[in-house]
Amino acid sequence: MFESKLAPDQQVKLSGFNNLTKILSFNLYDFCIALNEEQRAEYVKYIHDKYSAKKIEKIAEKIVEIIEANILAVSIQDYDPVGASTMTLMSDIKGGGEPIPVSVKAHLDKSHITSHTYPDASDPNGICTFRVDLDVATCGEIIPLNAINYLFEAFECDVVYVDYVVRGYTRLANGKKIYNDQKFNSIQEFIKPEIKEQFQFASDINMPQSNIWQSKF
């Protein structure tokens, strides 16, 4: 889990509510070769059972726990013949260590987790693919990157794209605008070494001046 390296008296002091929007996008791809129709059907069933809307809802619940948020509402949907979507609406449970004022709670409720799955077993050459797009969009003091190791562990991945973007601005106690409340160089800093060892590293794009980061595995 990411922790600030600054001493308490050096940490960024904000004026009121932190209204920065932080978006973590976790896009994974799984591949399998089906040599016949029986194997194709087995793969479809495997994906449907392992990554049903109900199963991904449980993954979202764990993400909420890790980033120390609070679930407000959940919506899930399975599709025929395959595929699923989920949405989890959440709020910042800590509010910076202080009770969340009613006046800002509605704004905090805009944080959410969404997921969409895209299974495909129709390739004539037997190449079966499965893609998941999962987005964690938060406001307030929640740090979605803290959930990244769990996401690697929760899904079986052959190829992974991780994107992180910070948008909007908040203000320091003296009124000055700031556009990010975290200091880090790369998404890689949040990923356990043992997880990185399981993948061939593809690229690492860091544009802190634009608050945009991407890592590919």
Side-chain angles (χ1 to χ4, degrees):
M1 180 176 293
F2 177 82
E3 296 181 359
S4 173
K5 297 179 180 179
L6 299 177
D9 61 342
Q10 296 177 311
Q11 293 179 3
V12 176
K13 296 185 183 300
L14 302 178
S15 175
F17 174 61
N18 180 351
N19 61 6
L20 291 168
T21 299
K22 307 162 191 176
I23 304 171
L24 171 65
S25 294
F26 189 83
N27 310 109
L28 71 88
Y29 301 80
D30 179 70
F31 301 93
C32 178
I33 300 296
L35 300 179
N36 51 52
E37 287 301 321
E38 181 181 357
Q39 290 183 359
R40 193 190 308 269
E42 289 176 356
Y43 181 78
V44 170
K45 184 179 185 304
Y46 163 77
I47 291 298
H48 181 74
D49 292 344
K50 187 173 181 65
Y51 298 118
S52 66
K54 197 67 180 176
K55 295 287 182 63
I56 297 180
E57 177 192 0
K58 295 299 182 184
I59 292 174
E61 287 180 1
K62 183 63 177 180
I63 294 171
V64 171
E65 177 185 340
I66 291 170
I67 64 178
E68 300 181 310
N70 182 44
I71 294 176
L72 300 173
V74 175
S75 175
I76 66 174
Q77 178 66 56
D78 284 306
Y79 299 103
D80 185 14
V82 290
S85 294
T86 72
M87 184 188 75
T88 302
L89 187 66
M90 60 186 178
S91 64
D92 186 336
I93 197 171
K94 282 190 167 183
E98 300 294 335
I100 302 173
V102 174
S103 60
V104 301
K105 189 171 183 180
H107 188 67
L108 286 165
D109 292 352
K110 292 180 180 178
S111 299
H112 63 269
I113 301 171
T114 59
S115 70
H116 305 283
T117 72
Y118 303 91
D120 179 19
S122 60
D123 182 79
N125 296 316
I127 302 174
C128 302
T129 63
F130 173 65
R131 181 176 119 235
V132 175
D133 293 343
L134 190 146
D135 296 291
V136 184
T138 70
C139 52
E141 297 185 4
I142 296 173
I143 302 175
L145 280 167
N146 284 339
I148 193 169
N149 289 305
Y150 172 70
L151 286 170
F152 275 98
E153 295 163 357
F155 293 97
E156 293 184 8
C157 321
D158 291 320
V159 176
V160 183
Y161 287 17
V162 182
D163 294 274
Y164 187 65
V165 178
V166 181
R167 290 288 179 257
Y169 68 87
T170 191
R171 293 186 184 276
L172 298 176
N174 63 8
K176 180 182 178 180
K177 288 182 181 179
I178 63 168
Y179 297 88
N180 197 355
D181 60 349
Q182 291 177 264
K183 296 292 185 182
F184 66 95
N185 295 317
S186 169
I187 292 172
Q188 302 284 321
E189 297 174 26
F190 293 83
I191 303 174
K192 296 176 181 178
E194 54 266 36
I195 291 178
K196 288 190 281 189
E197 289 174 359
Q198 299 173 20
F199 294 88
Q200 179 181 349
F201 181 60
S203 67
D204 194 38
I205 300 171
N206 303 295
M207 296 186 289
Q209 70 279 8
S210 299
N211 290 321
I212 297 173
W213 295 265
Q214 183 186 76
S215 286
K216 297 179 183 180
F217 303 86

